[in-house]
Amino acid sequence: MTVKIFNRPDIQDFLKVLSGLDQNGGNPRVKQIIHRIVSDLFKAIDDLDITPDEYRTGIAWLNELGAAGQAGLISPGLGLDHFLDERLDAIDEALGIKNETPRTIEGPLYVAGAPESKGFARLDDGTDADGHPLIMHGTVYGSDGKPAAGAKVEVWHCDTRGFYSHFDPTGKQAPFNMRRTIITDENGRYKFRSIVPHGYGVPPGSPTEKLLSALGRHGQRPAHIHFFVSAEGHRKLTTQINIAGDPLINDDFAYATREGLVPDLVERTDEASIKANGLAGPFA
Ligand code: MBD
Ligand code: FE
């Protein structure tokens, strides 16, 4: 037996009442959004004949998701973060704003308050024995095309097991390991030494993984490094780079890979360049 009750006038009135639209007070924007989302949910229950058992399974999963602190993890997994970026891109395009470096999603694992230094930082504390040294450097340009001195480059990435400091299930990383803030020098330049990160995988057995596997999907990301770039009088850029050659580059569960964000890697083995990059000895 299937019934459709969504369009009944009493149900439509009920939606207005439960979202507070029938009275003053409260927050009009919250009322508008809740009215729309609950309406869409009512309609989905009606259209798909979602049963009370199915609905309660969903509620139990939401409780599990919240208890695990994973709302911010399933969100990119369901493409919502990428969709928000596509909207920002579309707004920029409509305004005629061209972004030289594409934006991509922040993800749920940024931590504010990383140690700050000028021009250069070493990100890793040297305790990841499998780490392959990585050097990255570049220039931050303002929207005027000129190098931006004193810009802030916040960098964060995971270790060779795919674990981020502050979120390491083994508890083995020091706070802010592989997280730094670099202020660009007088020529707008930044440079850092770290190690090549591994890809990331959602925690095994977690509510996020359970939903993804019910969708027949994996919860893996290709190896990547996150950035916030900001400067006085400018919009903040949120972006990432991928490590070229990672087999998952075009199979990211969080849909963050974008053209222009997969720089070439160069393996340096000559003495002069190793020395110049300080890889042989301690870094100043
Ligand atoms: C990550 O490291 C990440 O960058 C995203 C977007 C989601 C989960 C873990
Ligand atoms: Fe990440």
Side-chain angles (χ1 to χ4, degrees), residues 53-63:
D53 275 354
E54 288 174 329
Y55 183 75
R56 277 189 278 275
T57 300
I59 291 295
W61 177 82
L62 277 177
N63 273 333

Side-chain angles (χ1 to χ4, degrees), residues 235-255:
R235 304 197 299 187
K236 174 167 137 183
L237 170 67
T238 299
T239 194
Q240 306 180 22
I241 58 163
N242 284 117
I243 302 299
D246 191 303
L248 291 177
I249 273 191
N250 292 307
D251 191 15
D252 178 1
F253 100 96
Y255 308 104

Side-chain angles (χ1 to χ4, degrees), residues 76-94:
L78 293 177
L80 289 152
D81 301 55
H82 179 71
F83 183 66
L84 289 168
D85 276 347
E86 290 283 350
R87 283 181 46 83
L88 292 175
D89 288 352
I91 291 168
D92 284 350
E93 202 179 314

Side-chain angles (χ1 to χ4, degrees), residues 106-109 156-158 164 200 221-222 224-226 240:
E106 172 180 336
L109 304 176
W156 71 102
H157 67 78
C158 64
Y164 284 80
Y200 169 89
R221 297 208 59 212
H224 60 279
I225 300 174
H226 295 265
Q240 306 180 22

